[in-house]
Amino acid sequence: MDLNYVSYSKEDVAIVDTRDYQDSFNDIIDQAYSIPVPYLSRHFHNIPDKNIVVIASDVVGRNVSTRILRNKGKRVVGYHMVKD
């Protein structure tokens, strides 16, 4: 099986933390844009035009935030799940 992997540097991607404010405040990720899922539709324009890596706390949050960002024209290239 041939898998194609792409590696991005920190300068190439925007990290978007879509967890609740309480979770992201207690576990701060440097250089991440902290925009919880309910606020993504209103504040997506604050995210630079780069490839996006989504930080989420669960599968539903990951899927919803990815869908919102892609519908707004953003390119989501990956995700990271943070456990409580």
Side-chain angles (χ1 to χ4, degrees):
M1 180 165 54
D2 183 27
L3 298 176
N4 294 322
Y5 291 99
V6 178
S7 179
Y8 296 100
S9 68
K10 288 182 181 180
E11 295 80 27
D12 294 336
V13 296
I15 300 170
V16 180
D17 190 347
T18 61
R19 298 175 292 162
D20 292 332
Y21 280 124
Q22 295 86 356
D23 295 334
S24 62
F25 179 77
N26 291 328
D27 183 22
I28 297 174
I29 298 172
D30 292 335
Q31 300 178 351
Y33 295 87
S34 182
I35 307 173
V37 174
Y39 298 95
L40 271 177
S41 292
R42 287 179 276 170
H43 298 285
F44 75 94
H45 60 275
N46 293 333
I47 304 167
D49 289 329
K50 294 182 177 182
N51 295 322
I52 295 174
V53 174
V54 171
I55 307 294
S57 57
D58 58 17
V59 175
V60 173
R62 180 198 70 197
N63 291 343
V64 170
S65 50
T66 299
R67 185 177 303 126
I68 290 170
L69 290 168
R70 285 184 175 162
N71 284 339
K72 298 295 184 183
K74 301 291 185 179
R75 182 169 184 225
V76 179
V77 296
Y79 65 89
H80 181 73
M81 304 288 286
V82 178
K83 297 188 183 211
D84 295 337

